[in-house]
Amino acid sequence: QLQASGGGLVQAGGSLRLSCAASGRTFSSYHMGWFRQAPGKEREFVAAISWSGARTSYAESVQGRFTISRDDAKTTVYLQMNSLKFEDTAVYYCAAGTYYSGSSLRSIQYWGKGTLVTVSS
């Protein structure tokens, strides 16, 4: 089970850190990722991190602004979001998957419930 938190209202240019806490002892064996869904749009990939933490990948739209990380001891994955833009407004979902391609996360086994990020312009 995945529980995302940390969303909220922030002004453009600001920062937020999302957290996704996982229950269960197999967290370290999953690749983890973040997706988002803006109003009226399809869910899209944001960032992913391999099970070892050695590899990360990002959507082009967030490259250089967002950083994904994981702490296996705390079974938590984070998404540090800096220089937020209005178009980053969305519900953010964390996910655990078994296939990491370097450009996305696939074979999603678990989804978190999502946390809303609203960026005011």
Side-chain angles (χ1 to χ4, degrees):
Q1 188 174 8
L2 303 176
Q3 182 64 51
S5 61
L9 175 63
V10 63
Q11 288 188 333
S15 298
L16 280 176
R17 188 177 80 155
L18 305 184
S19 299
C20 176
S23 59
R25 292 175 290 179
T26 60
F27 171 81
S28 61
S29 65
Y30 286 100
H31 307 302
M32 300 297 296
W34 290 92
F35 293 75
R36 68 186 181 186
Q37 187 167 18
K41 295 187 177 181
E42 294 185 353
R43 189 174 298 188
E44 64 176 3
F45 168 75
V46 175
I49 186 167
S50 64
W51 68 270
S52 67
R55 294 184 297 159
T56 59
S57 59
Y58 301 91
E60 187 175 339
S61 59
V62 307
Q63 182 75 45
R65 300 187 296 122
F66 290 11
T67 302
I68 188 171
S69 61
R70 65 189 296 160
D71 185 335
D72 286 354
K74 296 182 179 179
T75 63
T76 299
V77 62
Y78 303 97
L79 185 68
Q80 178 67 43
M81 305 186 295
N82 299 327
S83 302
L84 282 162
K85 304 176 181 180
F86 175 76
E87 50 265 38
D88 293 320
T89 296
V91 177
Y92 284 72
Y93 300 88
C94 60
T98 56
Y99 183 73
Y100 171 62
S101 68
S103 60
S104 188
L105 181 66
R106 306 185 190 280
S107 298
I108 304 299
Q109 304 299 302
Y110 302 99
W111 288 99
K113 286 190 175 181
T115 184
L116 176 63
V117 172
T118 303
V119 184
S120 62
S121 58

